[in-house]
Amino acid sequence: MTADQLKALIAAGLPCEHLRLEGDGRHWFATIVSPAFEGLRPIARHQRVYATLGERMQTDEVHALSMKTLTPAEWAAQGGA
């Protein structure tokens, strides 16, 4: 899976104000800023992202995905644009 494909899948399933993805095709790191994360604990935020990827996480299309998940307010507080 390419970075563009993975970004498109996440963005299609989750409203993202910022989405940055880095990786080598199997191991990925994503920074995701979404209002959908408001009021959710980190594990619930990650579960929301995993839900957008569905079976791809089970079939090894996405081997590993590490995430930094933030609300727009958290992103702004950290100096995000």
Side-chain angles (χ1 to χ4, degrees), residues 33-62:
V33 179
S34 176
F37 297 146
E38 294 286 346
L40 297 180
R41 294 180 185 191
I43 189 70
R45 295 175 183 194
H46 290 203
Q47 289 169 339
R48 289 285 306 263
V49 176
Y50 292 144
T52 69
L53 300 175
E55 292 295 314
R56 290 169 184 87
M57 293 299 295
Q58 308 299 322
T59 62
D60 206 36
E61 274 186 84
V62 179

Side-chain angles (χ1 to χ4, degrees), residues 2-74:
T2 69
D4 287 339
Q5 290 171 322
L6 186 52
K7 278 179 83 169
L9 287 169
I10 294 170
L14 196 63
C16 298
E17 290 191 10
H18 175 82
L19 175 55
R20 181 175 179 173
L21 191 63
E22 301 170 27
D24 63 9
R26 288 188 42 81
H27 301 92
W28 300 99
F29 179 79
T31 300
I32 306 167
V33 179
S34 176
F37 297 146
E38 294 286 346
L40 297 180
R41 294 180 185 191
I43 189 70
R45 295 175 183 194
H46 290 203
Q47 289 169 339
R48 289 285 306 263
V49 176
Y50 292 144
T52 69
L53 300 175
E55 292 295 314
R56 290 169 184 87
M57 293 299 295
Q58 308 299 322
T59 62
D60 206 36
E61 274 186 84
V62 179
H63 177 72
L65 177 63
S66 298
M67 292 174 268
K68 181 177 185 178
T69 53
L70 303 164
T71 67
E74 291 167 339

